[in-house]
Structures are given as structure tokens and as C-alpha cells.
């Protein structure tokens, strides 16, 4: 069973990553064809290499990385050529000098780690494998240019027509996962099941990576929007969702604390209040609606976004209202923690989907919780 489970997980990873696999394979092959067939380079190693290096960078950074790769390759080749002419090829002193000068130069101009490595590898390749002659410097530079350009074009093919679609899908997936975590926590509370509560906590701990994917997705969408004719409208939407990611991060952390308190509560002999699971489920519903609101806003469906936002607020306030009624003297501390996290998650969730006045939002939340008006 563990072996089949591993194969299943591997197949799922391949299925999720097949666009990147296809993208990288296509870019490297096209770069090689362009350099060999159209340009006529005999062994254009740096064309597919540069394509793979650029595509290997985080989404949203490929344009800058492409420029860095070009500069790194050109600098490495230039340093190697000069040093080889002075010291000769394939000598220990030559290798030491070329690598030292290349890395120092790359660091001096502010290149990042991958660009420093690319520059050093380019120079080392020429010193050890193929010492440069009079025509090799332009070959290497043009090869890197071809590879970087092909990588950028291939990476943007799917995004040119609908540049925000990948980000919309990422938001929907993130909010669906967070909603599912809360549903699992609610089921564990209803069943007084510490094993299920621990499973929900483990899933909640894994949500941090989803938030990072959202941040990366915003960068990637910004890069794609730069090639879009109607980019001004898209940029406005991106600014809005980018500002909301911080609140989403807080909501994810709150849900993790809620799940941890759920583990503690299910381990105690005291019965779990019947309505606690209902409150957490309503919070999960609010999470789902908030995700749909952000997705609809990115898609330009403002009316749908407003409707989803209203439903998210209704569900969140009802969750806080139900949880507030459970806050009675003598109840265990984990219950109080869950009630507090229902409130905190609702606040951060609603802050992420609406430009509402913060004081008014807090007043509505506290009124639902049963706290006196300030």
C-alpha cells in the first residue's frame, strides 16, 4: 500500500506540474533549433541552457532573470577569453583566476545567486571544455540571447490572452483549501475526535505555502500584464488583491491556531458544545465566498464580487454570533481560544475582501460577538 501511495502521489505531482514540464521542454528545444538551424551555430549549448535557467526562476522574475543571464554569460565569456589569452587554457591558475574574477564581477554589479553561478559556469565551460577563439564570444552571447528570449515568449504564451487566469485559479484553490481545513476541524469537534483534529491541524500548517504561492502568483500576473494591451485595468485589480494578501496570511494563521485549539479541546473529557462545529462551518462558508469574491473581482465581474462579499460577511458575522453565545464562565480555555480565533479569522477575512471602514467592521464583529459598543 505505501508503494502504491507513493506512485499515486508522484502521478499527482506530475499532473499538477505538466504545464511546467511542457514549457521547459518546448523552450529548450526551440532555442536549440533557432540557434542551430536559423543562426547556424555549430554547438549552441548556451541557448537551451539559458532557456531552462530563465524558466527555472520564480514566476514574476523571469524578465529580470533573463537580463541577468545574458549579462552573466557575456561577462563570463569575456573574462575567460582575456585570462586564457594571458595564462593559457586548462591550467589550475587559469581556472582559479577565471572563477574568482567572474564571481567578483557578478557580485559587484548586484547579480543574484543564479546569475553568479551561470556566469561562473559559462567561464569554466570555456576554460575546461572549449577554449574560446576569435569567433566564440558572439556565439555564446547570441546563444544566451536566443535562449532567454524563447523562454520569455513560451512562458507568456498562455498568459497573453488571459493574463490573470492563473492567479484567479490560485486564489480559488487557496480559499477552497482553507475552507476545507475549517470543515475538517468542525467535523472533528462534532465527533470529539482528536485524530481528525490533528489531521486538520496538519493541513492548516501546510497553508503557509499556499499564501506564498499567492504572492508569487501576483508577481507572475504582473509580469504577464506587462504584455497585455489593456494592462492598466488589470494593474488596478492586481494592486487591490496584492494589498489583501497580508490579511489572507493572518486569516490562515488564525485558522491554524483554531485547529490547534481544536486538538486540545477534543483531548479533554469535557463535551464540546453542539453549536461550536456549526460556527466553524459558517466560517468555512465565509472563506469560500471571500475567495469567490476576489476571483470575481480579478475577472472584472464587479456585481458578482459584491454579492459574494455580502454573503461572506453574513456568514462570518453569524459564525461570530454563534461562537459568542458559547462564551460562558467555566468553559475550558481551548474553547475560549477557538471562539477568539473565529472572531479574528472573520475580521481578517472581511478585511481582505472589502475596502470597508475598519472601525465600522470591528463594531459589527463585536456586536455579533455580544460585546458592548465602545
Amino acid at each position: 500500500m505505501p508503494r502504491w501511495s507513493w506512485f499515486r502521489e508522484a502521478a499527482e505531482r506530475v499532473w499538477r506540474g505538466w504545464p511546467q514540464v511542457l514549457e521547459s521542454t518546448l523552450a529548450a528545444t526551440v532555442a536549440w533549433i533557432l540557434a542551430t538551424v536559423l543562426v547556424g551555430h555549430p554547438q549552441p549549448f548556451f541557448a537551451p541552457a539559458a532557456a531552462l535557467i530563465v524558466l527555472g526562476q520564480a514566476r514574476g522574475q523571469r524578465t529580470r532573470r533573463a537580463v541577468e543571464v545574458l549579462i552573466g554569460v557575456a561577462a563570463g565569456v569575456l573574462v575567460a577569453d582575456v585570462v586564457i589569452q594571458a595564462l593559457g587554457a586548462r591550467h589550475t591558475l587559469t581556472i582559479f583566476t577565471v572563477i574568482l574574477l567572474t564571481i567578483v564581477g557578478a557580485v559587484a554589479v548586484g547579480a543574484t545567486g543564479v546569475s553568479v553561478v551561470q556566469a561562473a559556469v559559462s567561464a569554466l565551460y570555456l576554460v575546461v571544455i572549449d577554449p574560446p577563439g576569435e569567433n566564440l564570444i558572439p556565439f555564446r552571447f547570441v546563444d544566451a540571447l536566443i535562449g532567454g528570449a524563447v523562454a520569455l515568449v513560451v512562458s507568456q504564451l498562455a498568459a497573453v490572452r488571459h493574463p490573470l487566469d492563473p492567479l484567479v485559479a490560485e486564489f480559488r484553490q487557496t480559499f477552497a483549501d482553507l475552507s476545507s481545513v475549517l470543515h475538517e476541524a468542525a467535523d472533528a469537534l462534532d465527533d470529539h475526535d482528536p485524530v481528525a483534529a490533528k489531521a486538520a491541524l496538519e493541513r492548516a500548517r501546510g497553508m503557509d505555502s499556499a499564501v506564498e504561492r499567492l504572492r508569487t502568483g501576483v508577481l507572475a500576473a504582473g509580469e504577464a500584464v506587462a504584455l497585455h494591451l489593456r494592462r492598466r485595468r488589470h494593474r488596478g485589480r492586481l494592486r487591490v488583491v496584492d494589498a489583501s494578501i497580508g490579511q489572507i496570511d493572518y486569516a490562515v494563521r488564525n485558522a491554524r491556531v483554531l485547529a490547534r485549539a481544536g486538538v486540545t479541546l477534543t483531548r479533554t473529557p469535557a463535551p464540546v458544545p453542539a453549536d461550536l462545529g456549526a460556527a466553524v462551518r459558517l466560517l468555512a462558508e465565509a472563506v469560500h465566498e471571500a475567495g469567490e469574491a476576489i476571483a470575481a473581482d480579478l475577472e472584472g465581474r464587479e456585481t458578482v464580487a459584491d454579492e459574494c462579499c455580502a454573503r461572506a460577511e453574513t456568514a462570518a458575522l453569524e459564525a461570530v454570533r454563534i461562537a459568542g453565545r458559547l462564551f460562558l464562565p467555566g468553559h475550558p480555555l481551548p474553547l475560549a481560544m477557538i471562539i477568539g480565533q473565529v472572531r479574528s479569522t472573520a475580521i481578517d477575512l472581511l478585511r481582505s475582501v472589502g475596502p470597508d471602514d475598519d472601525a465600522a467592521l470591528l463594531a459589527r464583529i463585536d456586536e455579533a460577538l455580544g460585546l458592548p459598543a465602545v
Side-chain angles (χ1 to χ4, degrees):
M1 180 62 70
R3 180 180 301 175
W4 287 112
S5 176
W6 183 89
F7 280 114
R8 184 173 60 254
E9 292 177 2
E12 290 175 354
R13 286 193 293 268
V14 171
W15 175 254
R16 290 194 301 267
W18 75 264
Q20 290 76 28
V21 174
L22 181 62
E23 184 181 78
S24 298
T25 304
L26 179 63
T29 304
V30 171
W32 176 272
I33 292 173
L34 289 178
T36 54
V37 177
L38 296 184
V39 183
H41 291 184
Q43 292 180 324
F45 167 80
F46 289 110
L52 292 174
I53 290 171
V54 172
L55 288 175
Q57 308 313 309
R59 293 181 301 164
Q61 301 179 6
R62 287 173 175 171
T63 302
R64 178 169 62 88
R65 295 297 196 200
V67 174
E68 290 183 354
V69 167
L70 298 182
I71 295 174
V73 171
V77 171
L78 179 61
V79 169
D81 191 25
V82 172
V83 174
I84 288 173
Q85 297 302 324
L87 302 178
R90 301 186 180 95
H91 296 309
T92 301
L93 180 59
T94 304
I95 293 174
F96 172 83
T97 305
V98 166
I99 293 178
L100 176 64
L101 293 179
T102 302
I103 293 178
V104 168
V107 172
V109 299
T112 56
V114 68
S115 301
V116 172
V117 172
Q118 174 63 13
V121 170
S122 301
L124 187 60
Y125 174 84
L126 295 181
V127 174
V128 177
I129 305 298
D130 196 359
E134 55 180 337
N135 294 322
L136 288 180
I137 293 178
F139 273 16
R140 279 5 184 233
F141 180 79
V142 172
D143 288 345
L145 178 63
I146 291 172
V150 169
L152 289 176
V153 170
V154 170
S155 67
Q156 299 301 328
L157 282 178
V160 169
R161 188 173 179 84
H162 302 290
L164 300 185
D165 281 2
L167 182 60
V168 170
E170 198 73 68
F171 266 100
R172 282 201 168 104
Q173 186 63 53
T174 298
F175 278 80
D177 290 344
L178 182 58
S179 178
S180 178
V181 166
L182 291 172
H183 274 295
E184 289 184 12
D187 291 342
L189 290 170
D190 284 346
D191 298 337
H192 209 281
D193 185 347
V195 175
K198 182 67 182 306
L201 175 59
E202 290 302 319
R203 285 198 62 190
R205 286 170 173 164
M207 288 298 300
D208 287 339
S209 60
V211 176
E212 288 306 311
R213 287 195 299 271
L214 285 182
R215 299 185 195 279
T216 302
V218 170
L219 291 174
E223 188 175 67
V225 162
L227 302 178
H228 203 277
L229 295 177
R230 294 176 292 179
R231 59 183 178 272
R232 182 173 300 176
R233 182 186 63 189
H234 292 313
R235 282 178 176 171
R237 294 172 186 162
L238 282 177
R239 281 194 293 269
V240 172
V241 299
D242 189 30
S244 72
I245 290 179
Q247 297 300 143
I248 296 170
D249 189 17
Y250 294 149
V252 166
R253 297 182 189 185
N254 292 331
R256 184 166 61 245
V257 176
L258 186 154
R260 186 182 297 115
V263 172
T264 305
L265 185 60
T266 56
R267 287 175 175 171
T268 62
V272 176
D275 287 340
L276 185 59
V280 177
R281 282 193 187 86
L282 280 168
L283 190 61
E285 180 183 337
V287 168
H288 171 74
E289 293 295 342
E292 289 301 312
I294 294 177
D297 184 62
L298 284 170
E299 293 170 336
R301 299 183 294 144
E302 287 82 4
T303 302
V304 175
D306 291 340
E307 293 172 353
C308 292
C309 188
R311 289 196 293 269
E313 179 167 337
T314 299
L317 290 177
E318 184 62 21
V320 173
R321 190 172 292 111
I322 293 174
R325 292 199 297 262
L326 302 176
F327 190 68
L328 300 173
H331 277 172
L333 178 61
L335 175 59
M337 292 179 62
I338 293 176
I339 294 171
Q341 291 309 313
V342 169
R343 175 185 180 274
S344 298
T345 305
I347 291 173
D348 291 319
L349 189 67
L350 296 182
R351 280 173 173 169
S352 72
V353 296
D356 198 5
D357 178 74
D358 197 56
L361 171 62
L362 290 176
R364 292 198 299 276
I365 291 287
D366 288 343
E367 180 184 1
L369 190 62
L371 296 178
V374 179

